[in-house]
Amino acid sequence: MNYNYRYRLRPSDALEEQLAWTVDTCRQVYNHFLHRLNHTDDTSAYSEQKLLPSLKKWWNDLKNVHSKVLQKVVQRLYDNLSTLRGRKENGYRVGTLKWKAPGEYRSFTYSQSGFKLKNTSGRARLWLSKLGEIPLTFHRDLPDDAEIKTVTVKQEPTGKWYAILGVETPDDPPKKPENPEKCVGIDVGILKYAHDTDGTAVESLDLSDERERLERAQRDLSRKEHGSANWEKQRKVVAERHADLKQKRRDFLHKLSNYYATEYDLVAVEDLDAKGLVELPGNSRNRAGAAWGTFLRMLEYKCEREGTHFVAVDPKDTTKECASCGVKTDKPLWVREHSCPSCGFTADRDWNAAWNILSRGIKRLGAGRSESTPVETALPVSSVVDAKRVVETGSPTLKERTASAVSE
Ligand SMILES: [Zn+2]
């Protein structure tokens, strides 16, 4: 299994300057290969990486960057290229890869070699080839059998430096059950964050205080003279507020996804790409879409880790279809109730959708379980849960939380 662990780096001023220099050199290398990509036929990450040794002959700065780090820069360019192509195939309008200006490129990565984590006499340090030893705050232990595969050094817009350790552990994840017993379908919506087939609805996380603080900081920034020392100081405050907001949202999504992955044998959700295009309007689509994407990625890897089936289904018509008889009826967004003209089944709109998602998920998996509809099963009592409770207890239900559900 692969995990990422993130630690705060505490470089001295001199080291910090070196780190920033390395980031900027990598940025220039990225732009160099981007230029080649746009002006040369038939390039690939592999063929371009082979050019690095000869590049060092005239580009002297490159001698002070570890060779694996440079190879990763080329890899990153070609990874971006394939992401872009993937989005294009999925029907998005995409531009071309952009030249990276200073500030748009913030990290570099060692893979396989050129790094060592030293943790003797309680003082943790990260040794990086060509850079030296950097103290880090080792707030969380790595698993005993973990092997560090990659080290990414990143400067956040707040100015703080972090090391993200990509580790691999040898143990295989638990086997997924052949006949999943506890199954759940989750509909992610706008008014409620999530609505599942067990009748649990989780309210969206209230981030209004954080947003307000961010906006206030941004207003203060706009009053400062651009580029002045005060402006620079305030820019960091704005970045901190951004980071707070992001951290709070991630914490919520971590806990919610962990709950579903540990509590169930099978979790069915709607596929992201199509979902984004379906029903959310304008700006809220982008914001909700991004959070939904993060939630899905977290849920998927946690399900993998816990031995839980994860199925992403086609979201087409999940709100229109009747979960009981399958007949489709048009419903504008503001109609919050599903009321079937064909069979008379009524349910909350999102709950009806969650059931459709679950039955599609079970069908996709071909699980040895007959499809059930809400009419055949007992109707659960629908309960609405404040997002705060998820954050505080790690679970949206009143059931006793499992130990693993809070450990994340
Ligand atoms: Zn019906």
Side-chain angles (χ1 to χ4, degrees):
M1 298 284 288
N2 297 301
Y3 307 95
N4 280 338
Y5 287 78
R6 192 177 147 99
Y7 300 99
R8 174 87 187 272
L9 289 171
R10 311 267 179 190
S12 63
D13 288 353
L15 256 174
E16 185 167 8
E17 212 168 286
Q18 255 187 292
L19 292 176
W21 179 88
T22 306
V23 169
D24 200 62
T25 306
C26 288
R27 178 184 71 83
Q28 292 171 40
V29 171
Y30 181 95
N31 287 337
H32 171 82
F33 282 97
L34 173 62
H35 182 85
R36 283 187 45 84
L37 173 68
N38 290 334
H39 296 88
T40 322
D41 291 330
D42 288 333
T43 58
S44 70
Y46 180 68
S47 67
E48 295 292 276
Q49 280 169 343
K50 285 203 292 199
L51 302 175
L52 285 165
S54 56
L55 199 60
K56 283 183 193 172
K57 286 187 183 130
W58 59 266
W59 194 339
N60 280 323
D61 280 352
L62 301 193
K63 290 179 187 126
N64 295 319
V65 183
H66 192 256
S67 59
K68 292 280 187 207
V69 171
L70 293 173
Q71 286 176 15
K72 270 283 180 191
V73 173
V74 178
Q75 189 64 53
R76 176 164 164 181
L77 173 68
Y78 282 83
D79 286 349
N80 288 349
L81 184 67
S82 69
T83 306
L84 199 71
R85 283 182 179 150
R87 285 178 64 79
K88 200 170 181 179
E89 276 161 23
N90 280 326
Y92 285 92
R93 268 189 303 165
V94 294
T96 49
L97 287 180
K98 296 261 178 356
W99 182 83
K100 299 277 186 191
E104 290 175 344
Y105 197 97
R106 304 188 161 276
S107 66
F108 56 89
T109 299
Y110 287 76
S111 89
Q112 295 164 7
S113 65
F115 55 83
K116 194 165 177 61
L117 181 67
K118 299 181 174 180
N119 197 7
T120 46
S121 60
R123 279 173 51 241
R125 284 149 302 145
L126 181 66
W127 173 82
L128 297 172
S129 167
K130 309 276 183 185
L131 289 162
E133 284 188 4
I134 312 167
L136 85 168
T137 308
F138 202 65
H139 68 285
R140 190 177 172 200
D141 267 331
L142 292 173
D144 288 339
D145 50 0
E147 196 187 335
I148 303 173
K149 292 287 184 186
T150 60
V151 173
T152 296
V153 175
K154 184 176 185 188
Q155 185 178 33
E156 293 294 348
T158 55
K160 291 173 185 160
W161 289 89
Y162 292 88
I164 298 119
L165 310 185
V167 309
E168 201 180 277
T169 54
D171 48 326
D172 289 328
K175 232 176 135 247
K176 293 173 187 167
E178 239 168 81
N179 293 305
E181 300 259 317
K182 290 184 77 185
C183 303
V184 71
I186 313 169
D187 178 63
V188 170
I190 309 160
L191 298 182
K192 303 268 182 303
Y193 187 77
H195 205 120
D196 71 32
T197 42
D198 278 349
T200 304
V202 179
E203 295 275 13
S204 291
L205 187 62
D206 180 12
L207 292 168
S208 53
D209 285 354
E210 284 76 9
R211 285 220 175 82
E212 207 172 287
R213 288 175 64 207
L214 171 63
E215 279 160 21
R216 210 180 310 135
Q218 281 167 332
R219 275 199 303 278
D220 287 352
L221 179 66
S222 68
R223 287 192 212 102
K224 308 259 188 277
E225 191 194 331
H226 188 96
S228 67
N230 277 334
W231 180 85
E232 181 55 27
K233 216 168 112 193
Q234 186 62 24
R235 188 195 63 75
K236 287 211 169 115
V237 175
V238 170
E240 292 272 8
R241 298 283 179 268
H242 259 298
D244 284 352
L245 194 83
K246 208 170 133 189
Q247 183 48 45
K248 198 169 172 196
R249 186 188 292 129
R250 283 186 71 84
D251 182 48
F252 166 66
L253 296 179
H254 262 307
K255 283 174 175 149
L256 193 61
S257 56
N258 205 55
Y259 163 75
Y260 283 114
T262 51
E263 209 61 28
Y264 291 94
D265 300 334
L266 181 151
V267 178
V269 290
E270 286 176 293
D271 194 28
L272 164 71
D273 265 355
K275 171 90 182 176
L277 299 170
V278 179
E279 64 173 18
L280 302 178
N283 263 340
S284 64
R285 175 194 297 170
N286 295 336
R287 193 190 286 163
W292 181 221
T294 309
F295 179 66
L296 280 197
R297 277 191 303 277
M298 288 177 178
L299 190 57
E300 189 171 11
Y301 87 70
K302 284 174 194 190
C303 284
E304 199 55 47
R305 192 174 73 186
E306 303 296 331
T308 299
H309 294 281
F310 170 89
V311 204
V313 303
D314 181 3
K316 193 172 185 295
D317 296 336
T318 47
T319 43
K320 287 182 190 168
E321 234 172 69
C322 173
S324 180
C325 72
V327 165
K328 279 179 214 163
T329 34
D330 270 323
K331 269 195 246 20
L333 202 53
W334 58 87
V335 176
R336 301 313 303 171
E337 194 185 55
H338 165 81
S339 178
C340 181
S342 175
C343 74
F345 174 64
T346 58
D348 179 273
R349 171 203 181 93
D350 301 327
W351 190 63
N352 178 67
W355 265 102
N356 285 325
I357 292 164
L358 178 57
S359 41
R360 285 176 196 195
I362 290 173
K363 208 184 280 174
R364 262 277 299 279
L365 196 72
R369 195 184 109 125
S370 64
E371 261 181 74
S372 51
T373 67
V375 181
E376 291 158 6
T377 50
L379 290 174
V381 184
S382 197
S383 58
V384 176
V385 178
D386 196 305
K388 243 197 279 174
R389 196 164 93 206
V390 177
V391 174
E392 282 161 12
T393 66
S395 157
T397 66
L398 292 170
K399 275 176 277 179
E400 247 181 82
R401 56 193 172 137
T402 52
S404 51
V406 276
S407 67
E408 197 274 303

